[in-house]
Each structure stands twice: as C-alpha cells, then as structure tokens.
Amino acid sequence: MFGKLLRKPGFTWSEHGEALLSRRKPWCYERQPRPGMSVIGDRLSELLGVGGR
C-alpha cells in the first residue's frame, strides 16, 4: 500500500519506513524513545495495588 501511495513499488515499511519518517518528521527523532513498559519492584507494586503474582 505504501509503495503505491509513494509511487515507489519496492517500498516496504519494515525496510524503508524509519528512513521515511526521519526525513519527513525529524522532530520525532530529536529525543530518545521511551520504553513501552517499565519494571517496578514488589513494594511499589503493592502500594499501587497491581500485584501480578
């Protein structure tokens, strides 16, 4: 789909997507990406009431 929209038949998001974004939206790459998940200790887990055990 992206290849057709961009008129680049060999374009694949997995291979070329990051380069496209870095050219079109450089401000997205000015900061380090945040992790999608954080590990918290047992005590903090208890205080938050999110026990996973």
Side-chain angles (χ1 to χ4, degrees):
M1 178 176 88
F2 287 108
K4 193 168 190 169
L5 288 170
L6 298 169
R7 295 185 182 129
K8 294 182 179 184
F11 183 91
T12 62
W13 187 258
S14 59
E15 288 184 50
H16 308 103
E18 191 168 344
L20 175 68
L21 284 178
S22 67
R23 279 195 314 271
R24 300 289 182 174
K25 297 186 175 193
W27 61 91
C28 290
Y29 290 86
E30 290 174 358
R31 293 187 226 153
Q32 290 290 327
R34 294 181 180 175
M37 176 186 338
S38 295
V39 178
I40 61 173
D42 292 335
R43 179 67 179 136
L44 184 54
S45 178
E46 287 175 20
L47 291 172
L48 294 172
V50 291
R53 294 182 184 183

